Amino acid sequence: MLEPFEKDLENIAFSGATTDIKNKYVYYPLYDTIKEIAKTYANLDRFIISGTAKGQSTSDISLGAFNVPQGSVTVTAGGRPLVEGVDYTVDYNLGTVKVINQAITNSGVPVNVQFENNAGIGIQQRNFLGLRLDYLAKNTAKESLSFGGSIVKLGERPYFTKMNYNEDPIRNTMYGADFSYRSEFPTLTRLLDKLPFYNTNEMSTITAYGEAALLKPGHPPQIGKGSNGLVYIDDFEGTRNSIDVRFPLISWSLASTPQNNGLFPEGGYSDSLPYGYNRSKIAWYNIEPNLQDYRGTNNPVRDLGVPYFTDPRIHALYQQKLFPAKTSEFGQAQLVTFDLAYYPTD
């Protein structure tokens, strides 16, 4: 309504009320006086507006993972596969899916997302196999001899074929052999009995035991055949850092003079003006959008005689000019540009 706190409030809420009640709520000075005078009516300059709202956002779906492998996201709606770039978009760095097909969003059909997560690579299957063989060559009351052999195999099946360094699965085999020998030694018993301070009543025995093992390392065939296994020292494809060049005022700075006395003799200075004498003039900046909007009524550059910023190096750039077929969202018609001035001879 045009005057919600004056005439409209009086006609709708207090149409049959007395003047005393109207004066307690209707804010006449808000529309027939200046702002500073209206502020003096403290009893009327207080309103509490309350309400409820309910809504939900179903277009953005968080995957809960970062650096998702390119092309590994599959999205279905009601069992029907969707097309990337047409029905949805994926931010593989942040791990988010945005449904851009409004027909799917408005229909309320549940959207199912499947993807490959490289954040924590797990082992899908792990197996352990052991074999033990014993051969008893001789076994009597006085003497025994046995031989043994063992094979132990530990294998891991990778969940993905793309493995990072120090996370590669193993398939190791260990071979072992051992023997055991025991025999009575009566000669030793007789020698011990001849000692004046020692007497034995049991038969002396001699025992020998030995073993050897060989480890043969390996890897499952999923990451390479034979001895040529493949691991990734650094996943450069799945990691991406974005630098927005539209805001250089925060992260940009002038580079130092190269320390080369032949080509750049001024590089030998450190605390004097000649250190930067051979620099070309360069400046990066952002023009205030309010100054570029020459159509506005409160544009301060009107009094400076500036011809509406018609110079192509400083004039405003609108999204409709670059993309005529694209509908600009509210408040985003004017683009934020990156402006750089470079004078190589100055």
Side-chain angles (χ1 to χ4, degrees):
M1 296 181 179
L2 183 61
E3 298 178 351
F5 299 103
E6 189 193 27
K7 295 179 180 180
D8 298 319
L9 181 64
E10 180 181 359
N11 296 333
I12 295 176
F14 305 105
S15 58
T18 61
T19 304
D20 296 338
I21 295 179
K22 292 181 180 180
N23 292 336
K24 292 175 59 177
Y25 299 100
V26 181
Y27 200 175
Y28 299 103
L30 183 62
Y31 302 98
D32 56 15
T33 62
I34 63 176
K35 182 178 179 180
E36 298 302 325
I37 296 178
K39 288 182 179 180
T40 60
Y41 292 83
N43 60 322
L44 299 176
D45 194 16
R46 299 289 185 272
F47 289 89
I48 299 176
I49 301 177
S50 62
T52 60
K54 182 180 181 181
Q56 60 180 359
S57 177
T58 57
S59 60
D60 294 332
I61 303 174
S62 177
L63 302 180
F66 297 96
N67 293 332
V68 179
Q70 194 85 11
S72 65
V73 178
T74 303
V75 183
T76 58
R80 181 177 66 88
L82 304 183
V83 181
E84 184 176 357
V86 178
D87 299 321
Y88 67 93
T89 59
V90 183
D91 190 333
Y92 291 95
N93 294 331
L94 300 179
T96 58
V97 175
K98 182 178 181 62
V99 180
I100 59 178
N101 190 340
Q102 292 298 325
I104 299 175
T105 305
N106 298 333
S107 64
V109 177
V111 177
N112 183 28
V113 181
Q114 295 181 352
F115 65 99
E116 176 183 339
N117 185 4
N118 274 355
I121 298 178
I123 302 302
Q124 186 179 21
Q125 182 180 353
R126 179 177 297 174
N127 56 75
F128 179 82
L129 178 65
L131 176 64
R132 172 70 183 179
L133 300 174
D134 287 295
Y135 175 69
L136 190 59
K138 190 175 183 180
N139 186 17
T140 63
K142 295 183 178 181
E143 187 179 16
S144 65
L145 175 63
S146 63
F147 299 94
S150 60
I151 301 177
V152 180
K153 189 172 184 178
L154 174 63
E156 298 173 340
R157 179 183 177 89
Y159 194 75
F160 302 111
T161 58
K162 192 174 184 179
M163 307 302 300
N164 294 331
Y165 182 69
N166 279 340
E167 296 178 353
D168 46 309
I170 62 173
R171 179 168 288 185
N172 297 344
T173 305
M174 185 177 67
Y175 304 93
D178 60 86
F179 75 95
S180 176
Y181 176 75
R182 185 189 62 82
S183 176
E184 293 183 354
F185 200 172
T187 304
L188 179 60
T189 303
R190 291 193 296 267
L191 293 175
L192 293 176
D193 288 339
K194 291 181 179 182
L195 297 176
F197 54 85
Y198 184 80
N199 186 18
T200 178
N201 298 322
E202 297 292 337
M203 178 62 66
S204 300
T205 59
I206 182 173
T207 302
Y209 177 80
E211 63 179 7
L214 173 65
L215 175 64
K216 184 179 179 181
H219 56 266
Q222 287 82 2
I223 64 173
K225 296 181 179 180
S227 59
N228 298 324
L230 179 64
V231 295
Y232 287 80
I233 297 178
D234 197 351
D235 188 5
F236 294 100
E237 296 178 357
T239 303
R240 182 180 304 170
N241 293 327
S242 301
I243 301 176
D244 197 340
V245 297
R246 296 178 304 171
F247 304 98
L249 302 180
I250 301 176
S251 58
W252 281 29
S253 62
L254 287 176
S256 60
T257 303
Q259 298 294 320
N260 190 324
N261 295 329
L263 298 177
F264 304 97
E266 64 275 10
Y269 297 96
S270 60
D271 55 356
S272 57
L273 293 179
Y275 179 76
Y277 275 176
N278 288 328
R279 291 183 183 273
S280 297
K281 183 181 293 186
I282 186 173
W284 53 89
Y285 53 92
N286 291 113
I287 302 176
E288 175 61 39
N290 293 332
L291 300 180
Q292 293 176 317
D293 188 11
Y294 59 86
R295 297 167 298 181
T297 57
N298 297 324
N299 194 339
V301 301
R302 288 181 178 273
D303 301 333
L304 302 178
V306 180
Y308 303 150
F309 281 74
T310 55
D311 192 321
R313 294 172 294 182
I314 58 175
H315 74 78
L317 184 62
Y318 293 92
Q319 182 174 274
Q320 196 69 23
K321 186 176 181 180
L322 292 180
F323 309 102
K326 184 176 181 180
T327 302
S328 302
E329 298 182 5
F330 179 77
Q332 298 183 2
Q334 184 175 343
L335 298 178
V336 179
T337 59
F338 165 49
D339 301 283
L340 179 69
Y342 176 59
Y343 307 90
T345 59
D346 294 346

